[in-house]
Amino acid sequence: MIDFVRILIEHNIAPSIQRIKILEYLSKYKTHPTADMIYRELVKQIPTLSKTTVYNTLKTFTEKGLLTALAIFDNEIRYDFNTDQHIHFKCSKCGLVFDLDGSHDTFNEDFIEGHKITEYHINLKGICKNCLKKESK
Amino acid sequence: MIDFVRILIEHNIAPSIQRIKILEYLSKYKTHPTADMIYRELVKQIPTLSKTTVYNTLKTFTEKGLLTALAIFDNEIRYDFNTDQHIHFKCSKCGLVFDLDGSHDTFNEDFIEGHKITEYHINLKGICKNCLKKESK
DNA sequence: TCCATATTTGTAATCATTACAAGAATGAAA
DNA sequence: TTTCATTCTTGTAATGATTACAAATATGGA
Ligand SMILES: [Mn+2]
Ligand SMILES: [Mn+2]
Ligand SMILES: [Zn+2]
Ligand SMILES: [Zn+2]
């Protein structure tokens, strides 16, 4: 059982019910959800939850390094509890986002051509295994 | 002088004034502009230009493989006349998008872990050379 | 308990993009 | 050259994600 309250305190974030639930959701469902997906699920548990709170919380978490914000196609931000370097693949059929942690060699450099690098993302797009299977039938 | 009419015809796109101008703009200004940036520039030349036409045209061009659509941070689509594989870097200070054509080894595989790959993007974020220079003053 | 501060909420605003329908241009057949 | 179907363009309205903002609520220490 992960101690979400401790994680929040360690990141200098006051552990409100909303924040605990949002962090719990992200750690449990590694589907790279959008703010709206998180809202729609959690409002069932917390009927008074506001979508603004979800947005604010996700912003805070990202700024404090607790999450990674992903901008992978289709103009929507997705959130990832896994802040380690890994590769993302989005299926253009079903819309699911998969992790590909292939041991691809990554940039380690802090500077490239004089620019300071703070984030590094590899995003792939295509048709996922499941959708390919359906297609072939 | 590039023959934009020929390029359009070769891609099975009827060469209207609007389409020619949009293609010309993208080939001339390699700044990875958004639809809105293109509109704001071209409406000076074509006062009747509609933003919808810009969006439609960019969609058509992308579908026909004439452009690459980039989703690099901040929820906006940018367009690139250069369809060759290269790396993008967005400065979080000034917002400019730079090309980094570093000979980074890329995926060549058509399939990864069973998923069919159709697009491959490497996006970096950080602070660009120019902004670093300004900061240090 | 009291109070300053942090957090949450709900609504309105914004920004990028898409949907849609009507008008204009095009170009081939008669 | 007229006709007419098709394609393009335009303008406005709608959508969807996100942010701004101000009021209401919760929190934790003095
Ligand atoms: Mn991930
Ligand atoms: Mn580029
Ligand atoms: Zn799929
Ligand atoms: Zn910069």
Side-chain angles (χ1 to χ4, degrees), chain B residues 25-104:
Chain B
Y25 183 87
L26 278 153
S27 90
K28 195 169 177 187
Y29 301 103
K30 304 287 179 53
T31 53
H32 312 91
T34 62
D36 192 61
M37 291 171 189
I38 296 168
Y39 171 76
R40 288 203 311 269
E41 278 310 307
L42 292 186
V43 78
K44 295 173 186 169
Q45 294 177 48
I46 313 170
T48 59
L49 182 65
S50 162
K51 200 177 276 190
T52 302
T53 299
V54 177
Y55 276 103
N56 289 341
T57 301
L58 292 170
K59 192 176 190 184
T60 303
F61 285 4
T62 304
E63 284 168 359
K64 303 276 187 177
L66 202 43
L67 299 177
T68 303
L70 310 176
I72 15 176
F73 312 110
D74 304 307
N75 260 63
E76 60 184 9
I77 300 175
R78 289 166 169 268
Y79 293 88
D80 199 341
F81 186 69
N82 179 359
T83 54
D84 295 341
Q85 173 65 59
H86 61 287
I87 296 164
H88 288 107
F89 169 82
K90 179 164 184 176
C91 176
S92 38
K93 286 266 174 193
C94 65
L96 294 180
V97 174
F98 298 82
D99 287 332
L100 302 180
D101 32 31
S103 56
H104 189 265

Side-chain angles (χ1 to χ4, degrees), chain B residues 13-29:
Chain B
I13 303 166
S16 69
I17 302 292
Q18 293 85 347
R19 289 169 172 172
I20 293 166
K21 286 292 181 187
I22 290 171
L23 187 59
E24 186 182 9
Y25 183 87
L26 278 153
S27 90
K28 195 169 177 187
Y29 301 103

Side-chain angles (χ1 to χ4, degrees), chain A residues 13-114:
Chain A
I13 303 167
S16 69
I17 303 293
Q18 293 84 347
R19 287 168 174 172
I20 293 167
K21 287 292 183 188
I22 290 170
L23 188 58
E24 187 183 6
Y25 183 86
L26 279 153
S27 90
K28 195 169 176 185
Y29 302 103
K30 306 288 179 51
T31 53
H32 313 91
T34 62
D36 191 61
M37 291 171 189
I38 296 168
Y39 171 78
R40 289 202 311 267
E41 278 310 307
L42 292 185
V43 79
K44 296 173 187 169
Q45 293 176 48
I46 313 169
T48 60
L49 182 65
S50 162
K51 202 178 273 188
T52 302
T53 299
V54 177
Y55 276 104
N56 289 341
T57 301
L58 292 170
K59 192 176 188 185
T60 304
F61 285 3
T62 304
E63 284 168 359
K64 303 277 187 176
L66 201 45
L67 299 177
T68 302
L70 310 176
I72 14 175
F73 310 109
D74 305 307
N75 259 64
E76 62 185 7
I77 300 177
R78 289 166 169 269
Y79 293 89
D80 199 340
F81 186 69
N82 178 0
T83 55
D84 295 342
Q85 174 64 59
H86 60 287
I87 297 164
H88 288 107
F89 169 82
K90 179 164 185 176
C91 175
S92 40
K93 286 267 176 192
C94 64
L96 294 180
V97 174
F98 298 82
D99 287 330
L100 303 180
D101 32 32
S103 57
H104 189 265
D105 89 326
T106 55
F107 287 100
N108 307 354
E109 300 131 277
D110 294 334
F111 288 86
I112 295 179
E113 297 178 23

